Amino acid sequence: MKLLEGKNALITGASKGIGRAIALKYAEQGANVAFTYLSSVEKGEALVKELEAFGVKAKGFRSDASDFSAAEELINGVVSEFGSLNILVNNAGITQDTLLMRMSEEQWDKVINVNLKSCFNTVKAATRTLMKQKAGSIINISSVVGVRGNAGQANYSASKAGIIGFTKSVALELGSRGIRSNAVAPGFIETEMTEVLDEKTVQGWRDSIPMKRGGKPEEVADCCVFLGSDQSTYISGQVINVCGAMLT
Ligand code: NAD
């Protein structure tokens, strides 16, 4: 049985890392996949081909997640192309790490806009469609550092904590319309985002994780398959940590 057969999904920031893994798992599970990418048209086109190989419909949209009016255009584009929107995964995210003393206003604003405002942008734009359908699953990618904070990531941690408050509020506001809203909080996942860290920092993370290893993007994607599927129809307003027991 394919868990997402016949569902239409939108995943932001899917050209690499966790977003790409979610897109591929969704297609494997029978979902039609719309996704956004920021810069590489070639990568976007290549991903469409990979997704279509699963026998589903796929389309990439070049769209900046932090842009409010672009989100409305994006959601309209997805709905007119696919006919409906059943699962919305807000995955696009960036880091601009530095200690608070050195953090510029620009670094603060950029990270908050790409990581947190982006969730507001797409959910706001999709709300009318989801309410009309009386169904939908919203999945926002937060982080364990949104729960516990992290030195050197005040901007990033604040954005990810904001996502949790936003996710829970959406669950409370839209639950009566059959719309679910959950956050996934990955721990240390080995992607390009974590590749930039030096070996000592990476080893420090691995040592601090009870399972003694970083996670794979596919392990986060599996959780998103579950939350997007009808296997989780009574789960809403929750934060699910995918972190090898880093948080308990
Ligand atoms: P990544 O850097 O590999 O991928 C990030 C994706 O977001 C890319 O596809 C990029 O193009 C896209 N993106 C960035 N800015 C964008 C914008 N303005 N508009 C549209 N797309 C944009 O990182 P990743 O590790 O795959 O991270 C994916 C999500 O998971 C992020 O929200 C990140 O904060 C979160 N996360 C990652 C980890 C980790 O350890 N890797 C841990 C916790 C949470």
Side-chain angles (χ1 to χ4, degrees), residues 50-106:
E50 281 185 76
L51 297 168
E52 284 174 343
F54 289 101
V56 299
K57 192 170 167 175
K59 189 171 167 68
F61 293 81
R62 192 173 185 179
S63 187
D64 181 345
S66 64
D67 183 334
F68 181 75
S69 50
E72 186 151 4
E73 216 173 285
L74 169 68
I75 300 293
N76 289 341
V78 172
V79 173
S80 75
E81 188 77 27
F82 289 72
S84 68
L85 177 63
N86 309 110
I87 310 167
L88 168 60
V89 185
N90 284 305
N91 165 79
I94 55 165
T95 51
Q96 292 206 353
D97 300 349
T98 189
L99 293 172
L100 186 55
M101 270 178 64
R102 294 199 201 106
M103 189 174 288
S104 66
E105 183 184 6
E106 198 186 9

Side-chain angles (χ1 to χ4, degrees), residues 113-178:
N113 287 340
V114 173
N115 296 4
L116 175 59
K117 188 183 170 211
S118 57
C119 296
F120 167 72
N121 293 346
T122 52
V123 172
K124 167 106 175 136
T127 298
R128 190 166 299 159
T129 299
L130 299 179
M131 279 170 61
K132 262 199 244 156
Q133 291 173 181
K134 297 192 168 59
S137 175
I138 297 164
I139 302 164
N140 298 317
I141 307 297
S142 176
S143 167
V144 293
V145 306
V147 179
R148 59 157 229 203
N150 196 27
Q153 288 196 308
N155 50 359
Y156 183 78
S157 302
S159 73
K160 295 299 183 180
I163 286 177
I164 293 172
F166 177 72
T167 301
K168 292 185 176 192
S169 303
V170 171
L172 295 173
E173 279 190 35
L174 302 182
S176 65
R177 311 296 185 112

Side-chain angles (χ1 to χ4, degrees), residues 12-19 36-38 63-66 91-94 114-115 141-144 156 160 185-194:
T12 65
S15 59
K16 57 184 178 171
I18 294 170
T36 69
Y37 60 92
L38 192 55
S63 187
D64 181 345
S66 64
N91 165 79
I94 55 165
V114 173
N115 296 4
I141 307 297
S142 176
S143 167
V144 293
Y156 183 78
K160 295 299 183 180
F188 184 82
I189 310 299
E190 299 193 353
T191 67
E192 277 183 37
M193 184 174 274
T194 46

